[in-house]
Amino acid sequence: MRILLVAATSFEVAPTLEWLQMHCQQIGNYQFKKDFLELQLLLTGVGMPLTAYALTKSLGASKPFDLVINAGIAGALDPELEIGQVVQVKSEQFADLGVEEADGSFTSMHGLDLVPSDQYPFMGGKLTNPDADESFLPLVEAISVNKVHGYAPSIEALKERFQADIESMEGAAFFYVCLMEQVKFLQIRSISNYVETRNRENWNIPLAIQNLNKVLTEMLQALAG
């Protein structure tokens, strides 16, 4: 089974990389093999433009992958989610692709009909993973942003505009490329913080990374057979 593991930064998947180096045969730069599993790690850089470019280039440069996995941390909009909880994203939206109106309100690219809300790969303005399976991890709906939110009025406006559970900076670009390239994919995220008035003292990135990589390594061991 050929897997492409996609992460924005190396620190988010550092424990998994260490596991790969210890337990797998290294067959190239960030390429590993173990039994029935062949894995390539792609570090894209932070943000949607970097993710879209790196992922598109990687998918077109080699033989097909059986599964593409995006792993990283995220901020929770839903207060019911727990810090350190690992979730699977079932849908994504580009949350800040549109225009700011004169009254301060926001109109999305779909609201402007620049991109019809049901033009493939969108469905009702959302990008949806048809293979998302709640038996694996709890399913959430996500938005992706170029600017993470930390100002109370903009956070409240965001929550009113989108019925989403988490926020990241890459997920929608990942969904878009995978859907357009028609590859099987999944996105898993671990909650590092709540989307609230910015206060990094309330964040727990080490716990989020620990839990994310525990799920990742267990999944890779299972896929290796």
Side-chain angles (χ1 to χ4, degrees), residues 48-77:
M48 287 180 276
L50 281 70
T51 297
Y53 172 75
L55 180 55
T56 302
K57 185 176 181 181
S58 186
L59 290 177
S62 63
K63 62 183 180 180
F65 291 95
D66 298 300
L67 178 64
V68 185
I69 304 170
N70 181 209
I73 59 177
L77 291 157

Side-chain angles (χ1 to χ4, degrees), residues 132-153:
D133 181 1
E134 64 182 351
S135 67
F136 171 48
L137 288 169
L139 297 178
V140 298
E141 299 196 44
I143 56 171
S144 293
V145 295
N146 291 291
K147 177 184 71 177
V148 295
H149 291 82
Y151 178 55

Side-chain angles (χ1 to χ4, degrees), residues 13-165:
V13 292
T16 296
L17 178 57
E18 183 178 348
W19 180 86
L20 289 166
Q21 292 169 335
M22 290 179 61
H23 298 281
C24 303
Q25 175 189 0
Q26 188 157 355
I27 58 175
N29 187 32
Y30 286 144
Q31 292 179 290
F32 303 90
K33 182 174 176 57
K34 178 179 173 62
D35 300 326
F36 298 105
L37 175 68
E38 183 179 328
L39 182 141
Q40 179 176 330
L41 173 62
L42 173 65
L43 301 174
T44 63
V46 173
M48 287 180 276
L50 281 70
T51 297
Y53 172 75
L55 180 55
T56 302
K57 185 176 181 181
S58 186
L59 290 177
S62 63
K63 62 183 180 180
F65 291 95
D66 298 300
L67 178 64
V68 185
I69 304 170
N70 181 209
I73 59 177
L77 291 157
D78 180 358
E80 296 299 315
L81 294 173
E82 298 179 0
I83 300 294
Q85 184 174 358
V86 184
V87 295
Q88 181 184 181
V89 179
K90 67 177 180 180
S91 71
E92 279 279 2
Q93 295 181 78
F94 291 101
D96 52 16
L97 189 54
V99 300
E100 185 179 43
E101 304 291 357
D103 62 359
S105 64
F106 175 82
T107 304
S108 73
M109 60 179 177
H110 302 299
L112 295 166
D113 206 30
L114 295 174
V115 179
S117 60
D118 288 315
Q119 174 180 301
Y120 186 82
F122 296 96
M123 297 175 58
K126 294 183 179 181
L127 299 162
T128 302
N129 185 349
D131 298 312
D133 181 1
E134 64 182 351
S135 67
F136 171 48
L137 288 169
L139 297 178
V140 298
E141 299 196 44
I143 56 171
S144 293
V145 295
N146 291 291
K147 177 184 71 177
V148 295
H149 291 82
Y151 178 55
S154 64
I155 293 170
E156 290 308 310
L158 183 77
K159 290 181 177 180
E160 290 179 9
R161 192 179 307 135
F162 299 99
Q163 301 301 311
D165 303 301

